[in-house]
Amino acid sequence: MTKRRSILSILFSVILFTTASAQAPTPVFQQLTERQNRWVDSVFASLTPDERIAQLIMVAGYSNRGRASYDDSLVTLVRTNKLGGVVFFQGGPVRQAKLTNRLQALSTVPLLIAMDAEWGLAMRLDSTVRYPYQMTLGAMQGTATDSLIYRMGANLARQSRRLGVHVNFAPSVDVNNNPNNPVINFRSFGEDKYAVTRKALAYVRGMQDNRLLTSIKHFPGHGDTGTDSHYDLPLINKSRAQLDSLELYPFRQLINAGAAGVMVAHLSIPALDTTRNRPSTLSPAIVTDLLKNEMGFQGLVFSDAMNMKGVTKFFPSGQADRYGIEAGMDVLEFTEDVPAALLQIKQAVAEGRISQESLDERCRKVLRAKAWVGLDQYKPIVLDNLVRDINPVQDELLNRQMTEASLTVLKNDRNLLPLQRLDTLRIASVAVESEKITAFQQMAANYTQVDHFNITSKTPDSTLARMRDSLRNYNLLLVDVHLNNIRPGTNYGLQAKTAALVSELVATGKAVVTVFGNVYALNKLTFPADTVQMSRNIEQARAIVMPYQLTSYAEDLSAQLIFGAIGASGKLPVTVNQRFRVGDGIAVRPIGRMKYTIPEEVGIDSRFLTRQVDSLVNVGLTQRAFPGCVVQMAKDGKVIFRKAYGSHTYDASLGAEPKPVDLNDLFDMASVTKVSTSTPALMRMVDEGKFNVDGKMADYLPFLKKSNKANLVWRDVLTHQARLKAWIPFWRDTKNEDGSWKPRTFRNERSARYSIEVTDSLYLFRNYPKTIYEQIKESPLNEKKEYVYSDLSFILYPQVIKRLTGENFEDYLKSTFYKPLGATTLTYNPRRFYSLNRIVPTEYDSLFRQTLIWGRVHDEGAAMLNGLSGHAGLFGTANDLMKLVEMYRQRGQYAGQRFISEKTIAEFTRYQFPELGNRRGLGFEKPSFTFTGNAPRSATKDSFGHSGFTGTFTWIDPDPTYNLSYVFLSNRVYPTRNNNRISTLNTRTNVAEAFYQAIKRGIQ
């Protein structure tokens, strides 16, 4: 079905149900083709009166019993009594499909298969899609979000039909205006009858438009009860006027809009039936007089499960089934004692309490439903690829979209959210009731440095005391409360000690609280205003986020909301207490930080992209082009691909274990350092009027005034056409001919004079960097002015920046760019801050350093500069590098903060001298004018990036068609730089090209 048709269907339905009618429209399943009607007539004529009664009975089925004896007994029950259907409960999809096929094969009339799948097949089955609860969907605002619910219904219909299921006992259209409701609660869309009706309609339409029968429930309304009808008979003591105004409203509107089925609940409602202890399922006044006659419902009337105490408490099995049929039920669900039920119903017919004509019409109605769902041309369920088919990747996107649309911010003190100025924040995340690092914590750590603490109600007091001491060092606490039970009977999973811990954290005045659980749990964290606990009230938190349930999507997206990758537009669908009322919710806008999502959100087929990237990388791994790598891709500011491959090393022979590469590992960036340190610093200097790219080298480096480099123009220098030599092997000048170290070069022990640590046992003379600068000054120039890639000027940029700013180069970069970006792993000399387990080794240097280079810069010249240079030495994760890259793609701004002007970004990233055949920008690499493999084949003229000697690469293409960022980090020089297979295979740019092709494929 096209998107246009879906929207029109919903709009038509909205118009339809706003117009009351005395007679509801004929349900879709009653509108059959001539061929289908002939099938109904033929099957009906073949049935005996007793068999027609049996068509009105559904028994329970389970696919998790795992016993042949159970399956045999179910098959015998259905076949012997020639029953009309089975309602399945717990199990697995393949097991259920096999059992369904067996049942169908032995049934003369194909069975109508039903399930309760309010939030997807996962409500009953493992290995299936779980959608948000209806209460979560109730928080979504605006009619536009109803299209998401429609898609949910449509997708669920397709999954159900693929599994051989024909009826979904959903949605619940109960208006939940009782916070203590033990059975509906989170299963309701909320307490606003109009919103409940609108959202339920979208759900119903999505299912019915895709040939799945629906059954709205629990008629005449189960929302205002304090009793669970599974365990007792609830009493609803409201007047008829009150029922008409609220409980009955959604049912009336949805029936008028064409709902196919209605499920009647086990409720005692004196205003509708004064008979004592008579549940509504057994009441002719409610089923026939109200639902069928007064409301004009012509669809299928289903009972709620006939094994529930709400009916069996006062009416034994068999007798209850008889009274249900007498009341007007079309289908009895979950009949416990089938022989007794059939006997009782036949006795009622014999006594004249039920007419045969009435039973015949109900049987025909069931047969028409069977024909409409395709059972007139029954085919067995195909088991091949069943699990894959009912778990489409598009549903992951839909789940993310619905969860995102439901997120509700209930407090946002001084617009704290989304978090800005990350460089001013010291953040700790405290996961309450989770012993392991949570998905929320993992996602939060993608944005900046976040230290994690995990506590539960069982955490020892001594541990809590240490945590309290540690938390004093932070000025912001992200408190994520994990409630593993959604039901009010369990206090929503909230332990007394847990509530006290949350209150204590709130009392610090530093807490942003996110409650992953039932929205009514907020009431358990709120104290009356006149109590001493008020200071610890959750309302005193700096911000409160409500995601409504505990799922990976809710955790992931709540963290993204807090950091400004996405916004919030949800509103409370119910009133929790006087402080948190229906309709509450503060709109929060995103500020442009990277969003983490799946390829489908930007129109890319994730399976295609993953296959392409995996294939290219695995070729590289197989041919030992590199031990391991990390690939990260983003489109439109959305990170859609992040994957680590391979290991740190091939084996442990050089002292580093071949541990699997992790997304959070740090790599030596090599020459990617040039566009991650020197280039952004220079751009910032241009913006501040401190640096002129058309000035001369000596203008900013006075020690070059009397050298052959004094009058070289920076524009030529930055585009590598200033005649500078490519490189100088500085380390070779430190050795005598016999291999010994020259004076004032290296020693094997650290001292005040020999303080530059090159390895664990090799230290350089502290003033030797001056010799390096002098060597650059005295180096000859190439004869011809042409493109020659050179490191020399980049070695000098830290001196330029220090002279212009008065700051150390690394300090300047961190304070100006990295910390505000949240790119906290971007650093020189990472051994100062990170364990070697997180740092990927590079080369075994057998010539100079005589050791494995691990956690120290691979480049020899940078190593002799204490690991800090403008051409090499930067380490970091792919994710943090991408933050800088994204700032470039966003034309100099990120997270609402301007780092570099758009004009300067444009100047530095354009071709400077294309007429000379020079492809370079200012500092940046750009695509060759004829394809050479230095860039992806599909790269546009506006794209730019850089590669690194150790096997690193980054690329940005701001062209609107692609709008992409790409990072590839590897250690291809392990164990030796002589291995250049990564270039022979062209792995880095071929992987980027796969990204381009995936985008093109999505556009087609």
Side-chain angles (χ1 to χ4, degrees):
M1 177 173 295
T2 65
K3 181 178 180 182
R4 176 179 173 82
R5 182 182 170 192
S6 301
I7 294 173
L8 288 175
S9 176
I10 294 173
L11 289 175
F12 173 77
S13 301
V14 171
I15 296 171
L16 181 62
F17 81 62
T18 55
T19 305
S21 60
Q23 182 71 20
T26 303
V28 288
F29 73 86
Q30 302 253 34
Q31 304 168 31
L32 303 180
T33 65
E34 184 178 346
R35 175 186 56 77
Q36 290 172 320
N37 277 317
R38 285 198 302 270
W39 180 85
V40 171
D41 292 340
S42 174
V43 172
F44 177 80
S46 71
L47 299 176
T48 67
D50 288 353
E51 291 170 347
R52 295 171 192 171
I53 295 172
Q55 285 295 304
L56 311 184
I57 292 179
M58 274 187 170
V59 291
Y62 298 84
S63 58
N64 66 343
R65 297 294 167 88
R67 301 193 308 270
S69 59
Y70 169 78
D71 291 358
D72 291 344
S73 64
L74 179 62
V75 169
T76 300
L77 179 66
V78 172
R79 181 180 58 181
T80 301
N81 295 284
K82 298 185 177 181
L83 301 180
V86 176
V87 53
F88 274 104
F89 291 89
Q90 282 72 27
V94 174
R95 298 189 299 274
Q96 179 172 310
K98 288 179 178 178
L99 184 52
T100 299
N101 280 346
R102 184 180 175 194
L103 288 164
Q104 294 285 27
L106 296 173
S107 297
T108 305
V109 180
L111 298 164
L112 198 63
I113 304 298
M115 287 183 71
D116 283 287
E118 295 167 27
W119 53 87
L121 297 176
M123 181 172 173
R124 299 299 183 189
L125 303 179
D126 61 39
S127 308
T128 54
V129 175
R130 173 182 291 274
Y131 296 111
Y133 296 135
Q134 288 185 198
M135 185 71 77
T136 306
L137 302 179
M140 300 193 307
Q141 297 302 300
T143 55
T145 61
D146 295 344
S147 65
L148 298 176
I149 301 176
Y150 178 92
R151 282 169 49 199
M152 180 183 79
N155 290 359
L156 176 55
R158 287 188 281 269
Q159 295 159 29
S160 300
R161 299 302 306 276
R162 177 67 178 85
L163 186 59
V165 174
H166 315 110
V167 186
N168 184 10
F169 292 139
S172 168
V173 301
D174 305 295
V175 181
N176 201 85
N177 55 351
N178 186 336
N180 297 315
N181 192 318
V183 62
I184 303 303
N185 202 281
F186 63 91
R187 298 165 63 192
S188 167
F189 286 111
E191 68 179 63
D192 182 327
K193 65 181 181 182
Y194 302 109
V196 168
T197 303
R198 193 184 72 245
K199 292 172 187 294
L201 174 66
Y203 194 5
V204 167
R205 283 299 187 196
M207 290 187 281
Q208 293 186 179
D209 284 355
N210 290 274
R211 293 271 167 173
L212 183 67
L213 291 166
T214 63
S215 178
I216 58 176
K217 59 188 184 184
H218 302 81
F219 187 83
H222 207 324
D224 193 6
T225 65
T227 303
D228 187 343
S229 54
H230 290 85
Y231 306 108
D232 204 344
L233 179 63
L235 172 66
I236 296 183
N237 202 10
K238 287 190 169 185
S239 69
R240 174 61 193 266
Q242 289 174 313
L243 294 170
D244 276 334
S245 174
L246 187 66
E247 277 81 3
L248 289 172
Y249 180 85
F251 290 99
R252 198 181 300 277
Q253 303 304 330
L254 286 162
I255 287 170
N256 287 340
V262 171
M263 176 180 284
V264 181
H266 307 305
L267 303 170
S268 175
I269 312 174
L272 300 179
D273 189 331
T274 58
T275 306
R276 183 177 174 81
N277 295 328
R278 176 187 280 173
S280 44
T281 37
L282 312 187
S283 168
I286 293 174
V287 177
T288 297
D289 296 344
L290 175 59
L291 178 58
K292 290 187 171 182
N293 296 337
E294 182 181 330
M295 298 176 71
F297 181 59
Q298 302 176 60
L300 285 168
V301 181
F302 296 93
S303 74
D304 208 341
M306 296 298 290
N307 71 324
M308 293 165 62
K309 294 298 183 182
V311 64
T312 61
K313 181 176 181 178
F314 299 104
F315 298 90
S317 185
Q319 186 183 80
D321 299 277
R322 165 185 173 168
Y323 290 152
I325 294 296
E326 288 183 9
M329 287 292 166
D330 295 322
V331 178
L332 299 174
E333 179 216 344
F334 207 144
T335 291
E336 280 195 297
D337 189 338
V338 172
L342 292 173
L343 184 63
Q344 286 278 343
I345 295 169
K346 285 190 288 185
Q347 183 178 339
V349 175
E351 294 173 357
R353 299 181 64 85
I354 308 172
S355 70
Q356 187 63 49
E357 291 77 14
S358 172
L359 290 174
D360 288 350
E361 176 49 37
R362 287 183 240 184
C363 177
R364 282 184 175 276
K365 191 187 295 188
V366 170
L367 293 175
R368 284 194 287 270
K370 291 184 176 185
W372 185 77
V373 298
L375 288 173
D376 59 321
Q377 296 180 315
Y378 166 74
K379 294 179 182 179
I381 304 163
V382 177
L383 299 180
D384 291 345
N385 299 318
L386 175 62
V387 174
R388 185 195 68 185
D389 291 348
I390 62 176
N391 286 277
V393 68
Q394 290 79 9
D395 269 12
E396 182 178 351
L397 174 60
L398 179 59
N399 256 315
R400 298 183 71 87
Q401 290 172 324
M402 291 191 293
T403 302
E404 182 177 335
S406 68
L407 295 177
T408 304
V409 175
L410 293 173
K411 186 178 182 185
N412 194 15
D413 188 23
R414 299 182 182 180
N415 295 316
L416 175 66
L417 303 183
L419 298 178
Q420 301 184 52
R421 292 301 309 270
L422 297 180
D423 52 327
T424 67
L425 299 176
R426 299 182 307 282
I427 304 175
S429 72
V430 185
V432 180
E433 287 299 354
S434 178
E435 295 178 349
K436 298 179 180 179
I437 299 299
T438 67
F440 174 87
Q441 290 176 308
Q442 291 174 340
M443 180 54 67
N446 283 332
Y447 289 100
T448 190
Q449 175 64 41
V450 179
D451 297 328
H452 303 313
F453 298 84
N454 292 71
I455 56 177
T456 73
S457 55
K458 298 178 181 179
T459 300
D461 290 342
S462 58
T463 302
L464 292 175
R466 288 194 298 271
M467 182 195 73
R468 291 185 187 97
D469 288 340
S470 297
L471 293 182
R472 293 191 182 97
N473 298 317
Y474 302 89
N475 59 9
L476 185 70
L477 307 181
L478 301 181
V479 181
D480 49 311
V481 184
H482 293 252
L483 303 182
N484 57 13
N485 200 305
I486 199 114
R487 299 184 182 278
T490 64
N491 208 35
Y492 311 109
L494 190 65
Q495 305 294 323
K497 187 173 181 179
T498 303
L501 289 171
V502 173
S503 297
E504 182 180 340
L505 293 168
V506 166
T508 65
K510 301 185 290 189
V512 173
V513 180
T514 307
V515 181
F516 296 103
N518 194 312
V519 65
Y520 290 120
L522 289 173
N523 195 45
K524 305 295 183 180
L525 296 169
T526 308
F527 300 99
D530 59 350
T531 65
V532 294
Q533 295 102 323
M534 181 61 187
S535 62
R536 293 187 171 191
N537 195 327
I538 191 176
E539 194 184 2
Q540 304 307 310
R542 296 188 64 188
I544 302 172
V545 178
M546 189 68 230
Y548 299 95
Q549 58 188 102
L550 178 58
T551 67
S552 59
Y553 300 116
E555 291 191 67
D556 177 321
L557 290 162
S558 293
Q560 298 201 48
L561 161 65
I562 288 169
F563 283 93
I566 62 175
S569 58
K571 295 184 182 297
L572 285 184
V574 292
T575 293
V576 175
N577 53 34
Q578 290 301 311
R579 294 182 182 83
F580 303 116
R581 304 187 63 82
V582 63
D584 285 353
I586 301 167
V588 174
R589 297 178 62 84
I591 57 174
R593 284 202 181 96
M594 293 189 301
K595 180 179 183 180
Y596 297 83
T597 183
I598 61 175
E600 278 69 20
E601 185 163 336
V602 293
I604 292 176
D605 183 337
S606 58
R607 290 174 180 168
F608 173 82
L609 180 60
T610 301
R611 282 197 306 268
Q612 298 301 308
V613 176
D614 284 356
S615 176
L616 291 165
V617 172
N618 287 332
V619 168
L621 293 172
T622 301
Q623 297 195 21
R624 295 172 76 92
F626 43 86
C629 69
V630 172
V631 178
Q632 185 157 330
M633 300 171 172
K635 184 181 186 313
D636 304 332
K638 300 176 176 67
V639 177
I640 60 162
F641 190 97
R642 298 178 71 205
K643 193 168 182 179
Y645 296 85
S647 303
H648 281 205
T649 63
Y650 297 114
D651 53 50
S653 60
L654 296 178
E657 293 294 328
K659 68 184 293 285
V661 175
D662 186 87
L663 289 173
N664 294 312
D665 286 339
L666 283 76
F667 286 77
D668 183 335
M669 305 281 183
S671 284
V672 170
T673 299
K674 293 181 174 72
V675 296
S676 305
T677 63
S678 301
T679 306
L682 290 177
M683 286 193 281
R684 183 67 167 245
M685 294 297 96
V686 169
D687 280 343
E688 293 178 3
K690 296 177 180 178
F691 185 80
N692 180 4
V693 296
D694 292 312
K696 297 176 181 179
M697 288 192 78
D699 293 343
Y700 303 100
L701 293 169
F703 82 96
L704 296 178
K705 281 185 177 179
K706 294 183 179 181
S707 74
N708 57 6
K709 299 169 185 65
N711 294 321
L712 297 183
V713 177
W714 284 109
R715 191 180 295 273
D716 288 331
V717 172
L718 284 163
T719 53
H720 299 277
Q721 64 174 29
R723 300 165 57 209
L724 294 174
K725 292 292 184 182
W727 69 295
I728 298 173
F730 301 107
W731 71 272
R732 290 180 183 171
D733 289 332
T734 63
K735 283 199 169 187
N736 295 309
E737 289 186 7
D738 63 0
S740 62
W741 300 116
K742 292 180 180 180
R744 293 192 176 184
T745 58
F746 287 102
R747 292 289 183 272
N748 296 117
E749 293 182 359
R750 183 196 296 272
S751 68
R753 287 168 59 82
Y754 292 85
S755 58
I756 298 176
E757 183 180 300
V758 177
T759 73
D760 290 342
S761 59
L762 191 61
Y763 300 89
L764 183 64
F765 181 58
R766 65 186 180 187
N767 292 328
Y768 197 84
K770 294 179 181 179
T771 303
I772 291 176
Y773 302 141
E774 192 65 23
Q775 286 179 287
I776 294 174
K777 175 183 176 181
E778 298 300 327
S779 64
L781 296 176
N782 295 324
E783 292 185 6
K784 187 178 180 181
K785 183 180 179 180
E786 61 183 356
Y787 172 61
V788 175
Y789 182 77
S790 173
D791 283 343
L792 300 188
S793 70
F794 283 87
I795 294 175
L796 301 175
Y797 290 132
Q799 303 303 310
V800 173
I801 299 304
K802 185 172 184 178
R803 187 169 181 272
L804 295 177
T805 66
E807 290 186 69
N808 173 279
F809 189 53
E810 182 177 20
D811 292 341
Y812 174 79
L813 291 169
K814 287 184 175 181
S815 64
T816 306
F817 296 105
Y818 305 157
K819 289 182 179 179
L821 287 168
T824 54
T825 65
L826 295 186
T827 188
Y828 290 98
N829 296 310
R831 292 164 69 115
R832 295 175 295 168
F833 311 109
Y834 301 99
S835 71
L836 287 178
N837 283 334
R838 279 194 65 184
I839 306 172
V840 180
T842 53
E843 182 181 9
Y844 182 85
D845 184 352
S846 61
L847 297 176
F848 168 34
R849 287 164 282 187
Q850 306 286 314
T851 190
L852 175 64
I853 308 306
W854 188 5
R856 295 188 175 94
V857 59
H858 172 269
D859 182 89
E860 298 92 337
M864 295 170 68
L865 293 166
N866 206 18
L868 192 153
S869 177
H871 77 295
L874 189 70
F875 284 73
T877 65
N879 188 56
D880 277 354
L881 177 60
M882 184 163 273
K883 293 169 187 173
L884 182 68
V885 166
E886 264 297 300
M887 183 267 286
Y888 292 154
R889 187 198 62 82
Q890 294 185 30
R891 305 180 191 280
Q893 66 177 8
Y894 186 76
Q897 186 173 349
R898 173 63 65 181
F899 291 88
I900 303 168
S901 72
E902 187 170 347
K903 178 181 177 182
T904 299
I905 289 282
E907 178 63 21
F908 270 66
T909 59
R910 72 174 179 87
Y911 290 111
Q912 295 293 312
F913 299 102
E915 69 280 2
L916 300 178
N918 185 333
R919 68 172 184 258
R920 305 292 300 207
L922 295 175
F924 291 101
E925 171 79 295
K926 289 185 66 66
S928 296
F929 302 111
T930 58
F931 181 71
T932 63
N934 80 304
R937 186 178 291 274
S938 297
T940 71
K941 63 180 179 60
D942 294 325
S943 65
F944 55 96
H946 215 284
S947 61
F949 188 77
T950 53
T952 57
F953 186 77
T954 185
W955 202 252
I956 304 100
D957 198 332
D959 182 280
T961 300
Y962 303 109
N963 206 23
L964 64 81
S965 303
Y966 166 66
V967 170
F968 183 104
L969 300 182
S970 76
N971 57 334
R972 71 94 188 166
V973 294
Y974 183 90
T976 171
R977 71 183 64 192
N978 295 328
N979 173 17
N980 200 31
R981 294 189 188 96
I982 195 170
S983 295
T984 303
L985 296 170
N986 220 11
T987 303
R988 293 170 289 185
T989 54
N990 282 346
V991 170
E993 178 60 24
F995 190 10
Y996 277 94
Q997 294 301 322
I999 295 171
K1000 291 178 181 179
R1001 193 170 184 264
I1003 295 172
Q1004 294 172 354

